[in-house]
Amino acid sequence: RKIKLIGREDVLRTWCNTPRGYSCAAATERQSSVQMSQKAIREYAGKRLLTEHFSKTYKGEYEFGNMVLITPKTELKGLEDRYEFLKKEKLVAKPDQLVKRRGKLGLVKLNASWNQAEKWVQERRNKPFSIGSVSDDLDHFLVETFVPHKQEEEYYICIQSTRPGDRILFYHEGGVDIGDVDSKAVVLDVLVGDEPTTEEVTKALLAKVPKDRQAPLAKFICRLFKFYALYHFAYLEINPIVMIEQKESKNAKYLIAPLDMAAKLDETARFECYKLWGDVEFPSPFGRKSCPEEAYIENLDAKTGASLKLTILNPEGRIWTMVAGGGASVIYADTVCDMGGAKELANYGEYSGAPTMSLTYKYAKTILKLMTKKAHPKGKVLIIGGGIANFTNVADTFKGIIAAMQEFSSLMIKQDVKVFVRRGGPNFQEGLDNMRKFGVQYKVPIEVYGPEDHMTNIVALALEKKDVEMVHRPSMGRRTSSAMDMLRGQPSPREEGKPSQPLKRRNSKPGIEPPKRSPFDLFTPETRCFIYGMQPVAVQNMLDFDFVSGRGFPSVACLVYPFSGNHSRKFYWNTKEILIPVFAKLSEALKKFPDISVVVNFASSRSAYDSTMEILKYSNQITTHAIIAEGVPERRTKMLIRKAKDLGVTIIGPATVGGIKPGCFRIGNTGGALDNIIASKLYRPGSVAYVARSGGLSNELNNIISQHTNGVYEGVPIGGDRYPGTTFMDHLLRYQANPDIKMLVLLGEVGGVEEYEVCKALEEKKITKPLVALCTGTCADAFSYEVQFGHAGACAQGKQETAAAKNHALKVAGAHVPDSFNDMGVLIGKTYRRLVQMGKIVEKMEPEPPQMPVDYKWARKLGLIRKPAAFMSSISDERGQELVYGGMKLSQVFEQDLGIGGVLGLLWFRRKLPPYFAKFIEITLMVTADHGPAVSGAHNTMVAARAGKDLVSSLCSGLLTIGPRFGGALDDAARKFSWAYDTGLLPEEFVSTMRKKKMLIPGIGHKIKSLENPDKRVEIIKEFAQKEFKSTPLLDYALRVQAVTTRKKSNLILNVDGCIAVCFVDLLRNCGAFSNEEAEMHIANGTLNGLFVLGRSIGFIGHFIDQRRLKQGLYRHPAEDIWIVPFDQQL
């Protein structure tokens, strides 16, 4: 355990200090989704958690007093009758809105009766109050017990998160006049996973506290630290905490009470702390109220695995942005502010993580609605920007944006809105082309540019600041890049004056142990990895990169997926089909492939910690981890960092796209589509290495570096979280030691202090190679309140964490710092050309990369091929928003009140059922009647009918497919959800238990439907049950489980089988017609499955009749659609 007893002034003299967070009740970042990790809570919430924990854990030892929170909805009249302490005790009243220095501002009422406190609150309630340039209405007040005490009984204590663990700050004086606590407090650093002892606390912190007070105060601090760690706090400050002598008390000699508190929780730990936290609110900072549109986008963001962010800065501003990518969104805001547009910047926001067309439509519609509320005399500009995407289909996201703009096109024209677009990434050509067509068709002024042009040039065009030379002026003709030509099978034109030669393929094979590598290398051309999770797209992307880079064999040896048995999956090595094994157990995978040294971990944020800890047990073999997940709790990440450091293991991430070493190894989807790999010369090494925070911007760096130098040697986006697994320095020191790397690039951002270690290394000559560095987020200085940007770590918690301060420090230390991101490419080019002139870089001939075939699905999406349908069907269609039977929508079937529930009740249950029970059975039959011609049962029925079989034979052919994988989920869902509910498992515990058993939850998940594209059938059943049933405890429980599972992926919803199952159990148990024994008997007897069989038979018969009517002939499946596995392939 590392203990330091130091004055704060000693820390502040170094580059690498960790500045303290905001003082008590500091204004902090706005509420948002999982990416924005550290979130401030109200003082009331912090004290509630503290009181609940200490009361339960240390019964009778501490008394923290009573309190009540007055909100805008609180009725003050009669409040004292609901809270008796208001009549009996002296009180303190103060606003609870993340306002700091309330005492100095006259915002604290002390030693008051309830009448006095109520009057004081009423005089200020819902009235504006200004702090500097920021103004807001006072609408939340904390009223609590007044604790009389002496000045010498006040102390200051703060616990804050640091990269190695946590830091405890203490000062023997507290209160409103404490002054500069940074220069006064003594410090105790505690490594993550450790807990301080009372002896350590006493020695390090309490030297100036009277001897008789040290022991109880040290015990309290140790217990406070345990509370802080258990509840996943990121910051906890109490000023003052009082320690009052109780001469007449029989329990404790001293009363310890927190008077003022400021706290932040790590919101990403909600899934762990749901039970502990209860209903915790994360309020907006003082001075900024969330508008309904922001709340709407936040709600959308919470329901999807993608990211959607929106902050309204100036609703009457004329500059609006719709930017793809967290890192890119900051750069666009920076550029607008750099060019003098800060006061006119209307919003900050971003969309990323491959959102669906439906999501981007809703996001764009929300922004357009805000933008067109009021015209601006100078007109408005809409900047639809973004970097080069790694895996997001640009055309699909643009379709949603275009659909929204079509609805607002007339208003956009009327209000003189000009649109500027720049984007790159998978299928960007079609996306940009669709944008141009929209502009022509709807007569909206629009300029469209691709990755050939600098990312932020469109800002200068939009603001009319200077004449910008663009590579491609907007035109209506469809442009295709040379990379796309290559994908279409055409040769790529080479750069003039640089003759090409074929790229040589390495003649190497996998070894029996991890390949030897230099200490400064993470990857070699022989490096192999395993993928944790079922990620076939990422695997194929890695294999395509391997082949185009000239590797001798695939970099992916196998996949590990605990939710399935051992099997193999088919992939492509160029045009050759190969099998890659999938293992359920990690130990089996590593035993089979002893040469694996890297893991690419796609586990969710909930399971990334557990899976990584398991993999770290094999640190003698697996030496490099890439953790892709966003939203891993900070404390868990820090524990991984400590464990990995002890084992000598490198971690990239969490919250990263991965990394890339051109011509050698690619992590997951890094580098984007294959055309971008070629365009950015990532198929062979260059001389420039970079390290960045943002995964999306790493692709932009690939593009910039390839345009201005001979290319990238290695690039690592370390991740956007506050504490990534590795730091800038970890990678820059590797690059410094590598003789093949001649030049370094660093792209940091606002928040954190890691860049100061780079400054120190430059000053101490640990880094001597030319370094071009920039920290984004300089726009934060233009805002009157704090704005949390796209990454969890992108928020300054002190002046030294601002982008401007870090850029200045880097420049002073000797780095080449551009004035803005717009100038970064130019500065990289100048630095590179200087190295060429000095002879340190010798440029080589550009090799010709091999041509790659286009995948069938991708070619079909691009409209390059077409394929006739295998079946015709005229009776049902499940593709739309609502199931259709014979041309009639499902809701119309219900409107006609068709049903047989009453008859079924008499035949199956031998009793008359309540009307709502019978109606539910009718709904179930109608919903389960059919699900289109493609499912296995209908397919079998149709094939049998086309073979000339009679109706009964054809129907039986379909019914025989009903089993565990088709139609059998109803019984299993009823049993599993009932078991979890009856045993008292919380939803999180149920999900965790099923995962540990390596079992999927029956009734959860859908291939097509999701939270953004809900299943109409589920909605109908759920609404009926909630309206008509006496109670729905199991349905309510299942929906809470859905809230947990959809945090990982939005299509892990409660599906129609699961919804019917839990509703049916609620009916049997609570309708009053059955005893508990009868209810359980009917579930055990398969009654639920009977409902499915009966309902689905209706559709099977319909398909038989339809095939006869259409006179369909004998069906034979096309031979080319079947791959005969070579007999020498190992399965």
Side-chain angles (χ1 to χ4, degrees), residues 31-32 39-50 52 69 98 227 231-233 263-267 269-270 273-283 298:
Q31 181 178 1
S32 186
K39 294 186 182 179
I41 58 175
R42 298 192 190 278
E43 182 179 2
Y44 170 83
K47 287 183 174 178
R48 173 181 67 80
L49 295 178
L50 181 70
E52 290 174 354
L69 180 66
L98 311 184
F227 161 73
Y231 281 67
H232 283 261
F233 279 85
K264 294 180 184 180
L265 291 172
D266 178 7
E267 199 272 343
R270 182 185 288 275
C273 300
Y274 177 82
K275 200 173 181 179
L276 295 173
W277 291 354
D279 187 16
V280 171
E281 177 193 6
F282 297 103
E298 187 177 334

Side-chain angles (χ1 to χ4, degrees), residues 376-438:
H376 193 284
K378 295 183 179 179
K380 295 183 179 181
V381 295
L382 174 61
I383 298 171
I384 303 175
I388 301 171
N390 286 292
F391 53 87
T392 298
N393 188 319
V394 175
D396 283 353
T397 55
F398 273 12
K399 285 176 184 176
I401 295 173
I402 290 169
M405 289 198 297
Q406 288 171 346
E407 295 182 19
F408 286 84
S409 58
S410 57
L411 269 176
M412 292 170 72
I413 294 171
K414 184 178 179 181
Q415 295 185 11
D416 190 21
V417 175
K418 296 182 177 65
V419 183
F420 297 84
V421 181
R422 191 273 187 183
R423 193 71 162 109
N427 211 7
F428 77 91
Q429 296 92 344
E430 181 182 346
L432 299 181
D433 199 35
N434 289 339
M435 280 287 184
R436 294 187 189 94
K437 290 177 180 177
F438 159 77

Side-chain angles (χ1 to χ4, degrees), residues 722-752:
R722 190 164 185 82
Y723 306 116
T726 44
T727 64
F728 293 138
M729 278 300 297
D730 292 327
H731 297 286
L732 289 175
L733 289 178
R734 287 196 302 107
Y735 300 160
Q736 173 68 28
N738 191 329
D740 293 329
I741 296 173
K742 308 300 182 183
M743 175 180 161
L744 313 178
V745 174
L746 164 65
L747 187 61
E749 64 185 15
V750 60

